[in-house]
Amino acid sequence: MDFTTALIVAYFALLALTLRKRWGVIEGPWLFFFRAFFPNWKFYHGINPAPRLYVRGQTEAGTWSDWRLIYPRLPRKGWHLVHNPAVNLALAHQNLVDHLANDINDLPDGADIRERVTYQLVSRLAQQAVAGACWGDHPMIAQAPVRQLSAFQFEVRMVLPEGQRNELMLQSPVIRAWN
């Protein structure tokens, strides 16, 4: 076993030991560190509303764009079975939105979601998307990016398939764009 493998095994062993509060149940703040290794598997619990990220941007002139959906629906090709970094990145971004939605639901009374790492990461993702970032060759949003972006805002909405229902879960305050 090489040194890197030993460190990874030691990392998981340390997390498992610190998470175990009682036999058979793993809980605690350290569970957050496992998120980097495993996707959100809640889609197996039936057809429930799914969290979706919407963004809008403000130009230096003060005009706002329409709300735009960020969702990883990229065209698939046969060679993607072997090498598919753009779709993997898009799905990782959607997984981050899923984790933010879980954090919103699990937020204790009086706590501020803006202090959570997931909120901060989704905020950066929202700015990148509205400014024109791409997943490989595919833009993160279908519409044209906001040029001369001065501020942006994002929303997490719970949406049922086929757009049957749309419920606002979180709307960020207006955030000044950074370079």
Side-chain angles (χ1 to χ4, degrees):
M1 181 181 322
D2 65 354
F3 185 68
T4 304
T5 305
L7 283 177
I8 291 172
V9 168
Y11 173 76
F12 278 108
L14 176 66
L15 283 177
L17 288 173
T18 58
L19 287 172
R20 193 170 285 283
K21 287 186 176 181
R22 56 191 134 105
W23 182 255
V25 177
I26 296 178
E27 26 179 79
W30 285 86
L31 185 61
F32 178 80
F33 295 116
F34 275 125
R35 287 181 171 180
F37 297 100
F38 303 105
N40 187 343
W41 295 102
K42 290 194 175 193
F43 57 85
Y44 284 121
H45 296 296
I47 299 177
N48 293 324
R52 298 289 179 252
L53 180 63
Y54 288 81
V55 296
R56 70 178 184 160
Q58 184 181 42
T59 64
E60 290 176 359
T63 58
W64 284 95
S65 68
D66 293 331
W67 287 102
R68 302 166 179 186
L69 173 65
I70 300 174
Y71 187 60
R73 292 287 182 191
L74 301 178
R76 312 254 187 213
K77 298 183 177 146
W79 62 275
H80 285 165
L81 292 171
V82 178
H83 183 69
N84 197 1
V87 172
N88 288 342
L89 178 60
L91 291 174
H93 286 161
Q94 180 57 40
N95 192 39
L96 177 62
V97 174
D98 293 344
H99 284 300
L100 176 60
N102 289 336
D103 283 352
I104 292 168
N105 286 331
D106 296 339
L107 193 65
D109 290 337
D112 187 2
I113 192 65
R114 292 176 291 177
E115 296 174 5
R116 298 288 175 112
V117 173
T118 51
Y119 178 91
Q120 295 165 16
L121 290 171
V122 169
S123 177
R124 289 182 180 261
L125 173 65
Q127 180 181 352
Q128 291 171 354
V130 78
C134 296
W135 294 308
D137 296 334
H138 303 283
M140 293 170 75
I141 53 177
Q143 299 86 353
V146 176
R147 301 291 177 210
Q148 301 175 342
L149 182 69
S150 66
F152 68 98
Q153 205 173 9
F154 68 90
E155 291 181 344
V156 176
R157 300 180 193 169
M158 296 303 282
V159 179
L160 275 172
E162 290 94 35
Q164 298 168 356
R165 192 171 42 129
N166 193 345
E167 182 181 320
L168 181 63
M169 189 172 200
L170 167 79
Q171 184 178 58
S172 75
V174 174
I175 302 168
R176 288 272 164 243
W178 58 87
N179 296 333

